[in-house]
Amino acid sequence: INQDGSGLRQVTFTPGKAAANSPAWSPDGTRLTYTIQNGTTYVIDLRKPWAEQSPQALPRVGRDEWLHGWTWSADGRTLAGYVMQRSAVSTGIALYSFDSKRDERLTDFGLYPVWLKDGRRLIFCSKEKLYLVDIASKKVREIMHADVHV
């Protein structure tokens, strides 16, 4: 959609009644990832009209697990996300490299990773806590705990 509200166009089309969710724009604005209800994350090239699109599915992380893409690295070469099982349970934070076309598990828990500006670390949450993970060493440390009393 344009800033003035004109030019609205649909960019994702999913099979059946599957909804597309969690869209994430690449830093240069040319690609978009989205996840459909069965858990598959797709990448589309927005420089092409829909008739020429061939959405690329990211490979599964494990037999019954997939990466729910969430956020792109600043250089657009890596997608961070959380690993989901069929039971809709998160089993950790992982990266997908567009260069090598491979994923790498960083943790065995957590949701909603966000890159720090240094491109080496991610912040993510789990329950009432925020964590920091270094992508090279895979070291995780708690950085905040929200003491929630109901």
Side-chain angles (χ1 to χ4, degrees):
I1 188 168
N2 297 323
Q3 284 183 323
D4 66 2
S6 66
L8 178 66
R9 69 183 171 106
Q10 186 172 343
V11 295
T12 63
F13 296 84
T14 58
K17 295 184 179 186
N21 59 59
S22 305
W25 292 96
S26 64
D28 65 4
T30 62
R31 293 176 289 167
L32 178 80
T33 60
Y34 61 94
T35 303
I36 63 172
Q37 287 172 324
N38 76 358
T40 304
T41 294
Y42 289 91
V43 182
I44 57 176
D45 183 341
L46 295 171
R47 294 170 291 195
K48 298 178 183 178
W50 180 253
E52 297 174 22
Q53 286 291 343
S54 180
Q56 300 298 306
L58 296 186
R60 292 209 180 267
V61 175
R63 196 172 106 180
D64 291 323
E65 295 181 315
W66 60 89
L67 180 68
H68 187 116
W70 195 255
T71 184
W72 292 73
S73 61
D75 63 9
R77 297 171 62 188
T78 308
L79 184 69
Y82 50 95
V83 180
M84 297 295 293
Q85 293 181 329
R86 286 198 189 279
S87 59
V89 172
S90 171
T91 62
I93 303 298
L95 302 175
Y96 177 78
S97 167
F98 289 100
D99 293 339
S100 70
K101 309 239 183 298
R102 297 179 57 126
D103 58 74
E104 178 182 10
R105 174 98 49 151
L106 298 177
T107 73
D108 60 1
F109 67 101
L111 290 164
Y112 316 124
V114 176
W115 290 93
L116 292 182
K117 289 190 186 275
D118 65 12
R120 290 186 39 240
R121 298 174 294 165
L122 294 162
I123 292 176
F124 66 95
C125 65
S126 181
K127 300 185 180 165
E128 300 90 26
K129 298 178 182 178
L130 285 179
Y131 294 88
L132 181 72
V133 60
D134 182 287
I135 64 170
S137 69
K138 298 184 184 175
K139 290 190 180 188
V140 177
R141 74 179 167 100
E142 181 183 324
I143 58 173
M144 190 187 96
H145 181 181
D147 192 14
V148 179
H149 295 283
V150 180

